[in-house]
Amino acid sequence: MIVPTDTVIMLRCPDCGRLELFHLSRFAVSKRKPGRVICSCGVEKARVTTRDYAAYTLEVNCTVCDLQHTYQLSGKRLWSQEVTPLLCLETGLELGSIGPRDKVRAAIPSYQEELEELIEELGGPGYFINPDVMYEVLNYVQEMADEGGVFCPCGKNKIELEVLPDRLELRCKHCERLKVIYAETEEDYLRLQELPAIELSRRGFSNLDRKVRGKKKGIKRDNK
């Protein structure tokens, strides 16, 4: 009988928000040495321990509620050919999954599905000044975040997102730095694509952006 010895754990980082797949070998977990799931940014996302090689404990740092969740899994389930979803024990939202690489990758929801759900939660396309541009901006920001391109200089990267009718506001929960990303016109989206990364700052947006916006709208925008 062939015994599976490899599995893949998919989790989003609680610090930088990056979604990654981590390969875990059965031989990498022992009674003395846990299997650690480390993000590219260096933060530990999860660890796997065992006492008898039959039952395993998976500890996950949750990206939804900021708590640590503990899951008890049998070795048969951990290294099975089926996908096991990992849910936030406080909210029931899905954090990631475990299983064969091809099945785990296929289970990743597309950006389009995620954004469509978000837009519906906010009240539908009519909530936005320009739904098409907002969709493009949200999609682009999500892709940058998954690649580690959204960060805060404080290094904590505890970033929360607020979606408003004309813009996104990215705010660090640790130091209160802010980044405002406008999503009203196609020029806003093109300007976003020129950025090598999205870095939060004390001002939130540049004086030039504020001056141009105020002139365009005939109003003055204040920093939040």
Side-chain angles (χ1 to χ4, degrees):
M1 181 179 70
I2 299 177
V3 178
T5 59
D6 297 285
T7 193
V8 165
I9 300 177
M10 179 185 69
L11 286 171
R12 193 176 295 278
C13 179
D15 270 24
C16 72
R18 188 175 299 154
L19 182 68
E20 294 179 326
L21 274 64
F22 181 85
H23 170 263
L24 181 68
S25 169
R26 186 187 291 265
F27 304 113
V29 184
S30 68
K31 296 179 182 180
R32 297 181 180 180
K33 181 182 178 182
R36 302 176 65 205
V37 179
I38 306 296
C39 179
S40 298
C41 72
V43 170
E44 182 177 89
K45 294 193 281 192
R47 64 171 54 198
V48 182
T49 58
T50 186
R51 291 183 179 180
D52 54 13
Y53 300 104
Y56 291 80
T57 299
L58 172 64
E59 298 173 310
V60 175
N61 295 317
C62 183
T63 58
V64 176
C65 68
D66 291 330
L67 297 177
Q68 185 180 80
H69 299 314
T70 300
Y71 309 88
Q72 302 297 333
L73 301 170
S74 67
K76 182 178 181 180
R77 184 176 181 185
L78 187 58
W79 278 282
S80 74
Q81 293 302 304
E82 299 300 323
V83 174
T84 298
L86 299 174
L87 305 180
C88 171
L89 301 182
E90 293 292 320
T91 65
L93 296 176
E94 188 167 339
L95 306 177
S97 57
I98 303 174
R101 176 177 291 273
D102 56 342
K103 293 184 179 180
V104 168
R105 289 186 65 88
I108 298 176
S110 68
Y111 292 133
Q112 182 174 355
E113 292 173 347
E114 291 180 342
L115 295 180
E116 287 176 351
E117 291 177 1
L118 174 60
I119 289 172
E120 287 303 316
E121 289 177 8
L122 292 171
Y127 174 76
F128 302 108
I129 290 178
N130 190 329
D132 292 337
V133 170
M134 178 59 75
Y135 181 91
E136 291 177 322
V137 169
L138 278 167
N139 190 38
Y140 193 79
V141 170
Q142 181 64 70
E143 290 179 348
M144 290 190 74
D146 285 344
E147 295 172 0
V150 179
F151 63 94
C152 181
C154 76
K156 297 297 182 179
N157 288 334
K158 295 286 187 178
I159 300 174
E160 60 184 4
L161 170 67
E162 183 175 3
V163 183
L164 299 169
D166 64 337
R167 66 191 185 277
L168 307 181
E169 292 188 359
L170 301 169
R171 190 185 305 273
C172 178
K173 293 188 289 185
H174 177 75
C175 71
E176 292 298 315
R177 281 184 171 89
L178 174 71
K179 182 66 176 180
V180 175
I181 300 174
Y182 291 105
E184 296 178 83
T185 68
E186 192 64 29
E187 287 73 19
D188 291 330
Y189 177 56
L190 295 176
R191 188 179 299 112
L192 175 63
Q193 290 182 303
E194 295 175 355
L195 297 178
I198 297 175
E199 179 179 355
L200 276 61
S201 67
R202 294 292 185 188
R203 292 181 307 194
F205 45 74
S206 69
N207 289 330
L208 177 60
D209 282 344
R210 192 186 335 173
K211 189 181 299 183
V212 170
R213 291 284 168 178
K215 184 176 180 180
K216 175 183 174 182
K217 294 288 187 180
I219 60 174
K220 180 180 178 181
R221 291 183 180 271
D222 296 321
N223 284 349
K224 287 199 170 186

